[in-house]
Amino acid sequence: MTASLAATPLSDADYQAKTRALLDRVEATIDAWLDEDVVDIDTHRTGGLLELSLPGGSKIVLNTQPPLQEVWLAARGGGFHFRYVDGRWIEREGREFHALLSEHVSAQAGQALQFLSA
């Protein structure tokens, strides 16, 4: 996949619903890990911003960008912008949101963790 992938047009309501569901799923996964004593990650959500506080004090921030219809991921390893393409959140290099989030959370938490897409 390349940067030429065109984003799927979304209405504002569809964008809001899809990003809300995306952040809800991330939070639900982390809540399950906490319940199962897998890893201690704290979450703090304010509107379209979700902050993950990982063991060792590092953070990952997920943020919706409604005017651009993007989702941003900021981690120690870099910042990434995702657009909704054919049912998935994809960044310009063609990497999928859940795969990249899993990679960066795993690196910062010091253990293999995986977020699954719906």
Side-chain angles (χ1 to χ4, degrees):
M1 294 186 196
T2 66
S4 64
L5 287 177
T8 302
L10 299 172
S11 69
D12 289 344
D14 282 344
Y15 170 80
Q16 293 294 337
K18 290 184 184 316
T19 56
R20 188 171 35 256
L22 182 72
L23 296 182
D24 287 351
R25 188 165 179 88
V26 170
E27 281 185 304
T29 298
I30 291 170
D31 287 346
W33 290 340
L34 284 169
D35 290 345
E36 297 163 12
D37 203 26
V38 173
V39 64
D40 185 16
I41 299 175
D42 291 325
T43 62
H44 179 73
R45 187 165 171 181
T46 306
L49 185 140
L50 177 61
E51 185 176 270
L52 313 180
S53 297
L54 291 104
S58 71
K59 295 186 184 297
I60 290 178
V61 177
L62 307 176
N63 196 8
T64 61
Q65 295 294 318
L68 302 173
Q69 289 201 344
E70 292 182 347
V71 173
W72 293 0
L73 184 160
R76 254 192 332 220
F80 307 91
H81 298 189
F82 299 85
R83 302 208 66 180
Y84 194 75
V85 179
D86 296 329
R88 300 182 311 145
W89 291 97
I90 304 292
E91 57 88 54
R92 69 175 177 224
E93 302 296 322
R95 294 174 291 183
E96 195 270 335
F97 173 83
H98 294 91
L100 213 49
L101 179 60
S102 297
E103 177 184 321
H104 288 277
V105 168
S106 295
Q108 289 180 226
Q111 68 186 85
L113 298 164
Q114 184 175 14
F115 290 88
L116 301 175
S117 57

